[in-house]
Amino acid sequence: MMQFFFRRTQLSTQQSVSPWWAIMLVILAPLCSNAQHLEGFGLSGSLNVTQTPATPEGIYLAPDYAIATNGDRSKYDETGYRLAAFGRWGIGRAGFFVQPEVGYTATQGQCYLVLYDLQNTTGLGASWFVFGHDIRRWEVSALAGLHLGRRGYVTLGPVVARNQREALLTETPGAYPASAKLYNSLSQSVITWQTLAQLGIGITVGRFDFNARLEQSLTPYTRRLTFDGTTYGYKQQIRQGLLTAGFLLYKRKETPAY
């Protein structure tokens, strides 16, 4: 009987777990340590330079369409922004700290070519249009860091993001069936939950906080594409460089030298 009760309790606990519980743990974890002290909290804004490489480089959607994911040869030319609120808690006296963040990112995915009418059914010949994902996401970061003297620091940690999809388009009867139908398939290929990692270096001057970060996705932004009932491989990653300027609404007066 006890074994049955334990299994039922364990199953119920597993079913109730959601990503939002993980987010709350990230935010509250610094408050659970007796050795921690609040160093400051504030707001920040970032300029993002983004690359979203996709594989394979060519996707043939029989019989009339194809996607050239390498159509835009220019890399790191898509830009966007990130807005965030952050707190910084010192751990012990060795210069270590944790920095949870809640943010919103809006940037543009790498553009590529979508070709249609490959069979020349309209008599006008093959044509194309440019497509790139509008990357919009809410995110929580769980960064750990080390102070380098009184002003400098380095950070490293994971990011849990909830991606938003582009709004679906209405398919117009009588129009060439490529645009809306294929656009909607590309939009629906975006994976809702994604994990990324950030590595950064920064400096604090008075109440101003500046840092530069590199971000790499650990799980893909897209994994597959379904069009006309057929599924195709379509794996897309996210890489970003972030230049961030922040302002500390609160800063601990006495900052020890590490």
Side-chain angles (χ1 to χ4, degrees), residues 104-196:
Y104 178 78
T105 289
T107 189
Q108 180 69 34
Q110 188 173 345
C111 294
Y112 44 80
L113 303 180
V114 178
L115 298 92
Y116 60 94
D117 199 12
L118 301 181
Q119 301 295 316
N120 195 22
T121 56
T122 63
L124 301 176
S127 189
W128 54 272
F129 62 89
V130 177
F131 177 87
H133 286 284
D134 292 323
I135 299 172
R136 304 288 185 270
R137 73 187 192 212
W138 291 97
E139 58 194 39
V140 170
S141 307
L143 305 179
L146 175 65
H147 287 289
L148 305 174
R150 289 185 177 273
R151 295 182 177 180
Y153 62 87
V154 293
T155 58
L156 174 67
V159 178
V160 177
R162 191 181 192 282
N163 293 315
Q164 302 175 3
R165 296 174 177 175
E166 293 94 349
L168 299 181
L169 299 180
T170 302
E171 298 179 33
T172 304
Y176 194 79
S179 300
K181 194 172 186 179
L182 189 49
Y183 179 96
N184 292 343
S185 296
L186 289 164
S187 174
Q188 292 173 328
S189 69
V190 174
I191 299 173
T192 302
W193 289 99
Q194 186 181 13
T195 305
L196 309 97

Side-chain angles (χ1 to χ4, degrees), residues 23-219:
I23 291 172
M24 292 302 298
L25 288 175
V26 166
I27 296 174
L28 296 177
L31 304 179
C32 300
S33 171
N34 293 329
Q36 60 82 28
H37 53 272
L38 178 62
E39 296 182 357
F41 61 83
L43 304 174
S44 65
S46 304
L47 170 66
N48 302 357
V49 183
T50 309
Q51 184 190 25
T52 53
T55 55
E57 291 188 350
I59 306 172
Y60 176 56
L61 310 175
D64 225 17
Y65 315 105
I67 301 174
T69 61
N70 64 343
D72 182 2
R73 298 282 184 176
S74 300
K75 296 182 178 181
Y76 298 106
D77 60 352
E78 310 298 342
T79 59
Y81 66 88
R82 177 179 187 263
L83 303 176
F86 65 94
R88 189 174 294 162
W89 279 264
I91 303 297
R93 297 183 178 274
F96 293 101
F97 64 89
V98 293
Q99 183 169 311
E101 299 183 355
V102 179
Y104 178 78
T105 289
T107 189
Q108 180 69 34
Q110 188 173 345
C111 294
Y112 44 80
L113 303 180
V114 178
L115 298 92
Y116 60 94
D117 199 12
L118 301 181
Q119 301 295 316
N120 195 22
T121 56
T122 63
L124 301 176
S127 189
W128 54 272
F129 62 89
V130 177
F131 177 87
H133 286 284
D134 292 323
I135 299 172
R136 304 288 185 270
R137 73 187 192 212
W138 291 97
E139 58 194 39
V140 170
S141 307
L143 305 179
L146 175 65
H147 287 289
L148 305 174
R150 289 185 177 273
R151 295 182 177 180
Y153 62 87
V154 293
T155 58
L156 174 67
V159 178
V160 177
R162 191 181 192 282
N163 293 315
Q164 302 175 3
R165 296 174 177 175
E166 293 94 349
L168 299 181
L169 299 180
T170 302
E171 298 179 33
T172 304
Y176 194 79
S179 300
K181 194 172 186 179
L182 189 49
Y183 179 96
N184 292 343
S185 296
L186 289 164
S187 174
Q188 292 173 328
S189 69
V190 174
I191 299 173
T192 302
W193 289 99
Q194 186 181 13
T195 305
L196 309 97
Q198 287 186 358
L199 171 66
I201 183 169
I203 185 172
T204 301
V205 181
R207 286 183 176 266
F208 293 96
D209 191 83
F210 305 97
N211 61 73
R213 304 182 188 182
L214 294 176
E215 181 182 87
Q216 172 66 53
S217 57
L218 302 178
T219 59

